[in-house]
Amino acid sequence: MLTRRKILTLFSTKYASRQFNEVSKLSQVPSYPYSEIHKTLNPFRVFLLCAWSSTQASKFPEYEMPSVTWGVIQGRKEKLVSRVIVFDFLRGLGIVPDELQDLELPSTVEVMRERVEFLQKLGITIDDINDYPLMLGCSVRKNMIPVLGYLEKIGISRSKLGGFIKSYPQVLHASVIVELVPVVKFLRGLDVEREDIGYVLQKYPELLGFKLEGTMSTSVAYLVSIGVNPRDIGPMVTQMLEKRAYLLGYDLEETIKPNVDCLISFGIGKESLPSVIAQYPQILGLPLKAKLSSQQYFFSLKLKIDPEGFAQVVEKMPQVVSLHQNVIMKPVEFLLGRAIALHDVASMVVKCPQLVALRVELMKNSFYFLKTEMGRPLKELVEFPEYFTYSLESRIKPRYQRLKSKGIRCSLNWMLNCSDQRFEERLQGNYIETESTGPTFLMGGKLNLPGNAILSDEEEESDDEVLYRRTVSL
């Protein structure tokens, strides 16, 4: 006579064994989903199956699973104990684990040691980890290796991966497929060349954290709506944002739109906005109203340039909003010291704002050559102030010698405002063609702005970041 307990035990064992066999058969069918298997079992059957399978673990050691008791009661206790052990290990390395309290961490010291050593092989120091301890929550195999492999694939060399992680450790948490790949594709769509992607991201790694459906796409869409060519935005990111690629990170409603409206309110024509932004994209993120007000007042006070003339200056060289006023005055004082009237100097600056960013030493050499060698009157400088922007050694002197040898006398504009090929064609002709003006003007090479010429966004900053050693191409 079997007791009730023995009957129940026998029944549950045989019943669970049969259910396990049924599940095993179903699971061997490739097209049979596990969700359907679960539907064939009621909760009581599942309970019996789990209870039985836990007693059979020794028969299938390669698939040994933790028991229900381990996961609910013992697991919680063991988790607390293992966390204390792991934290003691980190403290022994000099890592402060306070910020890791709420983070899911490995349960063994061995796994945590693997993460720390992997980061150290990249050049990440204990101090770097303390700056961002959350990187220890990233799995070497699931997070670090996939992310680093992708960064290397898009052009960041292996030797620079450690520096990249130091600059933007948050990238270790990112999903390559969901977060990183779409950003790279977005940059490529802006005409950032494939070989430049790594360069851009190293200069501004936070780009990888921008959301396409937010800041980046809306900012680009707005710039396009006011006339900026989409293909101009890529070069902005690649060439002009060497220190701060803020363009795609500017807040549309709080920064970009107000600054565009500010430019219009100061007289910059809507048709000139694309050119202004393409020349100086940082202008979208400056405290622009204060800077424009200050510079407009300065130009009016010192140079007698009215608001309309100031607007023309900004349209031609928007970097002027960030130039130090004492830097602006040096070329102005040089011209005034050569007996050029103030109203003529003002006219020269409006025609060619690049004058206010030139080095006085270079202006002296060019002026001396104009007066002593070429014998030209000051009137010609007033009519063509761009003369100072051309290289004395590589353009002015050689062309003057060619003209002199042929006995040709022409204006400075005709002599300088053309390419070398065009100049040769002019010399071969028996006539002097009409001088070109307006939109066909070609600036004579690149204009280097002095490193101390720019106003920093924060007066306390020591490096003049905005236009430090930057070239202006018009």
Side-chain angles (χ1 to χ4, degrees), residues 5-291:
R5 180 179 299 277
K6 290 182 178 180
I7 293 174
L8 180 58
T9 302
L10 179 62
F11 168 79
S12 61
T13 303
K14 291 183 177 180
Y15 185 83
S17 177
R18 183 169 66 253
Q19 288 294 309
F20 181 82
N21 291 334
E22 291 178 5
V23 172
S24 299
K25 292 177 181 178
L26 289 174
S27 64
Q28 293 173 2
V29 180
S31 61
Y32 202 94
Y34 281 99
S35 60
E36 295 300 322
I37 295 176
H38 296 158
K39 291 179 182 178
T40 65
L41 303 177
N42 62 34
F44 177 68
R45 292 176 179 175
V46 173
F47 169 76
L48 291 177
L49 177 59
C50 292
W52 177 84
S53 62
S54 66
T55 66
Q56 306 298 314
S58 60
K59 296 182 179 180
F60 307 97
E62 64 272 28
Y63 299 112
E64 187 169 349
M65 298 293 291
S67 66
V68 175
T69 303
W70 180 92
V72 175
I73 300 176
Q74 293 179 346
R76 182 181 304 169
K77 183 178 179 180
E78 290 180 355
K79 184 177 181 180
L80 292 175
V81 173
S82 64
R83 181 174 286 265
V84 171
I85 295 174
V86 169
F87 277 16
D88 286 343
F89 165 72
L90 293 176
R91 290 190 182 96
L93 298 177
I95 298 173
V96 181
D98 296 351
E99 295 184 34
L100 305 177
Q101 294 291 344
D102 300 324
L103 199 65
E104 189 69 28
L105 295 175
S107 58
T108 66
V109 169
E110 288 72 20
V111 176
M112 181 57 76
R113 180 184 288 111
E114 178 190 37
R115 295 184 182 183
V116 174
E117 290 178 351
F118 185 86
L119 291 169
Q120 288 179 324
K121 288 179 181 178
L122 291 173
I124 306 298
T125 65
I126 297 299
D127 288 339
D128 296 327
I129 295 176
N130 279 326
D131 288 339
Y132 189 75
L134 298 181
M135 68 175 71
L136 294 176
C138 298
S139 165
V140 172
R141 292 165 181 81
K142 294 180 180 179
N143 300 104
M144 299 184 190
I145 290 178
V147 168
L148 295 173
Y150 182 71
L151 293 176
E152 188 174 1
K153 178 182 176 181
I154 61 177
I156 301 175
S157 64
R158 185 168 300 184
S159 62
K160 295 182 178 179
L161 287 175
F164 188 90
I165 298 303
K166 291 181 183 181
S167 300
Y168 188 58
Q170 295 89 340
V171 73
L172 293 176
H173 302 286
S175 164
V176 172
I177 300 299
V178 177
E179 297 172 279
L180 303 187
V181 171
V183 170
V184 172
K185 287 184 176 179
F186 184 82
L187 293 174
R188 291 283 294 120
L190 296 178
D191 218 28
V192 177
E193 297 296 333
R194 188 181 303 276
E195 60 271 18
D196 291 330
I197 291 291
Y199 167 81
V200 171
L201 293 178
Q202 286 181 79
K203 292 297 182 182
Y204 193 40
E206 289 86 351
L207 280 172
L208 290 174
F210 289 163
K211 301 300 181 182
L212 296 184
E213 67 275 11
T215 305
M216 292 179 74
S217 59
T218 52
S219 296
V220 171
Y222 177 73
L223 294 176
V224 172
S225 72
I226 62 174
V228 178
N229 190 320
R231 293 190 174 275
D232 286 338
I233 298 175
M236 289 182 202
V237 177
T238 305
Q239 301 170 8
M240 304 184 72
L241 309 182
E242 294 181 355
K243 286 196 173 183
R244 292 184 174 180
Y246 282 161
L247 177 63
L248 298 180
Y250 291 146
D251 185 272
L252 179 61
E253 298 298 331
E254 295 184 5
T255 305
I256 295 180
K257 284 186 176 180
N259 276 357
V260 170
D261 292 339
C262 182
L263 288 170
I264 295 174
S265 69
F266 273 81
I268 285 72
K270 291 184 178 180
E271 69 282 354
S272 299
L273 289 176
S275 173
V276 168
I277 295 171
Q279 289 183 68
Y280 189 38
Q282 293 95 324
I283 202 170
L284 294 175
L286 297 175
L288 196 53
K289 185 175 182 179
K291 286 182 175 290

Side-chain angles (χ1 to χ4, degrees), residues 176-466:
V176 172
I177 300 299
V178 177
E179 297 172 279
L180 303 187
V181 171
V183 170
V184 172
K185 287 184 176 179
F186 184 82
L187 293 174
R188 291 283 294 120
L190 296 178
D191 218 28
V192 177
E193 297 296 333
R194 188 181 303 276
E195 60 271 18
D196 291 330
I197 291 291
Y199 167 81
V200 171
L201 293 178
Q202 286 181 79
K203 292 297 182 182
Y204 193 40
E206 289 86 351
L207 280 172
L208 290 174
F210 289 163
K211 301 300 181 182
L212 296 184
E213 67 275 11
T215 305
M216 292 179 74
S217 59
T218 52
S219 296
V220 171
Y222 177 73
L223 294 176
V224 172
S225 72
I226 62 174
V228 178
N229 190 320
R231 293 190 174 275
D232 286 338
I233 298 175
M236 289 182 202
V237 177
T238 305
Q239 301 170 8
M240 304 184 72
L241 309 182
E242 294 181 355
K243 286 196 173 183
R244 292 184 174 180
Y246 282 161
L247 177 63
L248 298 180
Y250 291 146
D251 185 272
L252 179 61
E253 298 298 331
E254 295 184 5
T255 305
I256 295 180
K257 284 186 176 180
N259 276 357
V260 170
D261 292 339
C262 182
L263 288 170
I264 295 174
S265 69
F266 273 81
I268 285 72
K270 291 184 178 180
E271 69 282 354
S272 299
L273 289 176
S275 173
V276 168
I277 295 171
Q279 289 183 68
Y280 189 38
Q282 293 95 324
I283 202 170
L284 294 175
L286 297 175
L288 196 53
K289 185 175 182 179
K291 286 182 175 290
L292 284 173
S293 297
S294 174
Q295 295 294 63
Q296 185 187 69
Y297 175 77
F298 175 79
F299 273 71
S300 175
L301 178 67
K302 297 294 184 179
L303 299 176
K304 308 304 179 184
I305 294 177
D306 59 22
E308 182 179 352
F310 177 73
Q312 295 179 44
V313 170
V314 175
E315 289 177 351
K316 295 175 182 177
M317 196 182 82
Q319 293 87 346
V320 74
V321 303
S322 296
L323 282 177
H324 281 292
Q325 293 175 354
N326 63 334
V327 172
I328 294 174
M329 285 306 298
K330 289 180 180 178
V332 170
E333 291 171 349
F334 168 77
L335 295 174
L336 292 174
R338 310 276 95 64
I340 301 177
L342 178 59
H343 68 274
D344 286 332
V345 172
S347 172
M348 295 171 71
V349 170
V350 173
K351 287 180 181 178
C352 182
Q354 290 76 17
L355 286 176
V356 299
L358 293 177
R359 293 171 54 190
V360 172
E361 293 78 9
L362 298 179
M363 295 180 69
K364 287 180 179 178
N365 294 336
S366 296
F367 182 83
Y368 179 80
F369 186 81
L370 179 88
K371 293 295 294 181
T372 60
E373 297 295 325
M374 298 174 65
R376 301 296 182 100
L378 293 178
K379 179 183 178 182
E380 292 199 34
L381 275 181
V382 175
E383 294 175 349
F384 191 68
E386 294 88 348
Y387 167 82
F388 286 110
T389 68
Y390 293 97
S391 169
L392 177 62
E393 298 299 328
S394 64
R395 176 165 290 196
I396 297 176
K397 285 185 177 180
R399 291 194 179 185
Y400 171 71
Q401 296 298 334
R402 293 293 306 280
L403 291 172
K404 184 178 180 181
S405 66
K406 288 184 171 290
I408 299 175
R409 182 174 178 84
C410 62
S411 70
L412 296 176
N413 189 349
W414 191 91
M415 179 178 76
L416 299 173
N417 188 16
C418 63
S419 65
D420 289 339
Q421 180 180 350
R422 187 59 172 166
F423 180 72
E424 292 299 326
E425 292 174 354
R426 289 177 175 180
L427 292 182
Q428 300 305 320
N430 296 320
Y431 62 95
I432 297 180
E433 63 189 72
T434 304
E435 296 176 356
S436 61
T437 58
T440 57
F441 167 75
L442 300 174
M443 175 61 72
K446 294 182 178 180
L447 175 62
N448 292 314
L449 298 184
N452 62 348
I454 306 305
L455 278 169
S456 173
D457 293 345
E458 299 179 8
E459 291 298 332
E460 296 299 322
E461 292 181 352
S462 60
D463 58 340
D464 298 313
E465 295 179 317
V466 185

